[in-house]
Amino acid sequence: QRRVHGGLPNHFKDKMVVWRALSQVMRVPLWKSAVTLTSKRFSSSNNVLTDTFQRHHSYLRISLTERCNLRCQYCMPEEGVDLTADSKMLTREETIRLAKLFVSVGVNKIRLTGGEPLVRKDIVEIAQELGAIPGLKALAMTTNAITLKRKLPALHAAGVNLLNISLDTLVPAKFSFITRRLGFERVMEAIETALAMGYDPVKVNCVVMKNVNDDELCDFVEFTKERNVEVRFIEYMPFDDNGWNDRRMVPYQEMVSIIKQKYPNIERVADAANDTSKAWKVPGYKGKVGFISSMTDHFCNSCNRLRLTADGNLKVCLFGASEISLRDAIRSGSTDEELLQVIGAAVKRKKAAHAGMHELASTKNRPMIKIGG
């Protein structure tokens, strides 16, 4: 177990929820948490978001809801999932407070996720408040785009400057099969609207599943010919209740091989720093494709991401079962300094890499919809 020597301030000692939070992430008994942690260690903006492998976390993904208007097969079961009670979800004020706190210690990019973030009635107001935070350089959103077209002008004005749209097929009937809902035309209209508004590029997330949509890889490459889009092919990942098995997963190198049969001149291009996607491009095409190879060629060594679930838990790794409740710490009356101690302790516990895909498949975690896509 890891210990940090020094004492906590006296006013901290009566805050049992925060003690429990610190005890949980540091894996020390509750009674020891007050004497084995130091406020100095985690109060510096240089230290709070830097883990023991010297990865600095400048990117926070905030899930705004567990609700969604689709039922994608790789995300949740057909009947949906048991939703957390509204009273246990972060309020808008709590979300904004935490966002400001993370930005104050080095986060410069926030992504809004869900569930489906656009089902929040106050989504524009949330975006406006986040977009006004000094020091925040990028405000992104991942959405299924069912209702995006009519909301995008207001979101753009509020400061949402990066956009990822989920689309797993270019075949309308298959869209309904994968999502168990209608809406293909609305998603396509939203992509064209975003391009017309100047989003550069529009990123399109596509979870590739064998014998479901792997026959459309080349169709998606062709989709980039006249559009400034980046289609990101995502290896099918295991989460609770999503029916994962390795026979349904199409590995990164297999996808590249399939595409090269039709596009032998497709070439690897440079990736941005900390990018999760390995970028490829057909010469002369406006857009490009990428591959998120979380299972077969992970990128944990450059991970700069943290996740805040809709019910207020901090996850330092998408695939880690370990979580810590910032909601409980806030509602116990914790100061910002005390919250930073909890956050810093959690970040320091982040592992070098996630386990292998078969181990992940047998490890208890949340359904993806309750983590935040």
Side-chain angles (χ1 to χ4, degrees), residues 171-279:
V171 180
K174 195 182 293 185
F175 178 92
S176 297
F177 170 74
I178 294 172
T179 67
R180 305 182 178 110
R181 296 291 187 273
L182 300 174
F184 174 80
E185 291 78 12
R186 281 181 282 175
V187 177
M188 296 298 291
E189 289 173 0
I191 291 173
E192 299 300 339
T193 299
L195 289 169
M197 290 180 62
Y199 281 91
D200 180 20
V202 174
K203 293 183 178 180
V204 176
N205 293 344
C206 175
V207 177
V208 180
M209 295 172 285
K210 192 176 291 292
N211 299 323
V212 176
N213 60 348
D214 56 330
D215 60 334
E216 295 186 65
L217 289 167
C218 292
D219 294 335
F220 272 108
V221 174
E222 196 62 21
F223 190 70
T224 71
K225 185 175 183 178
E226 302 295 340
R227 297 176 182 85
N228 189 21
V229 297
E230 180 181 343
V231 178
R232 294 148 65 92
F233 299 119
I234 303 171
E235 289 182 340
Y236 186 26
M237 297 177 281
F239 294 99
D240 282 10
D241 302 323
N242 78 338
W244 184 91
N245 66 65
D246 57 5
R247 295 184 301 277
R248 297 185 69 190
M249 189 196 72
V250 185
Y252 160 51
Q253 291 295 346
E254 183 178 332
M255 288 190 267
V256 172
S257 296
I258 292 170
I259 291 170
K260 280 186 172 181
Q261 291 176 20
K262 182 172 181 179
Y263 301 95
N265 61 335
I266 192 169
E267 57 190 19
R268 188 78 163 86
V269 295
D271 301 320
N274 302 111
D275 205 340
T276 60
S277 178
K278 299 171 175 63

Side-chain angles (χ1 to χ4, degrees), residues 7-16 19 34-35 39 338 341:
L8 290 175
N10 288 333
H11 70 275
F12 198 85
K13 295 182 179 180
D14 60 352
K15 302 212 171 160
M16 297 302 294
W19 280 20
V35 295
S39 61
E338 292 162 357
Q341 293 174 41

